[in-house]
Amino acid sequence: MRVDRLAGIVREIAREENLDFKLATIKSEQDRAYLKKRLKEGRIKPLANAPVFDEAVIDRSSHIVGMCGAEPYIEALQNGADVVIAGRSSD
């Protein structure tokens, strides 16, 4: 949601300043059904010493976000993006 809000602000400024660029967004919110499926497949495992992560945690969480690395940025730039706005990420 914040990615969309920030992208809207950037677009508004671009219109006001007559700027022309290709904007890409990368969102980090995770789909609950997808997470539950991956959990059942054994594809999600908590880090050492982390609390239990199960379907109940997924159900009671208000927002679940994932971290992305450089790959989505690289893809956005390779597809012509001049500006990239993203959710949670690290290098």
Side-chain angles (χ1 to χ4, degrees), residues 3-69:
V3 169
D4 290 335
R5 189 167 138 209
L6 183 55
I9 293 168
V10 169
R11 287 185 185 103
E12 183 179 334
I13 293 169
R15 275 192 304 276
E16 291 172 0
E17 299 295 325
N18 200 28
L19 301 173
D20 184 35
F21 52 83
K22 185 173 180 182
L23 175 67
T25 58
I26 302 169
K27 298 180 181 177
S28 59
E29 185 86 21
Q30 301 296 301
D31 177 72
R32 286 172 178 21
Y34 174 80
L35 291 175
K36 287 179 181 181
K37 178 180 179 231
R38 292 298 192 204
L39 185 65
K40 287 177 185 173
E41 295 170 347
R43 304 267 321 257
I44 298 176
K45 295 182 172 86
L47 298 172
N49 300 319
V52 172
F53 185 78
D54 57 18
E55 286 193 28
V57 172
I58 294 170
D59 289 335
R60 71 174 178 261
S61 298
S62 59
H63 293 285
I64 302 174
V65 296
M67 295 281 288
C68 73

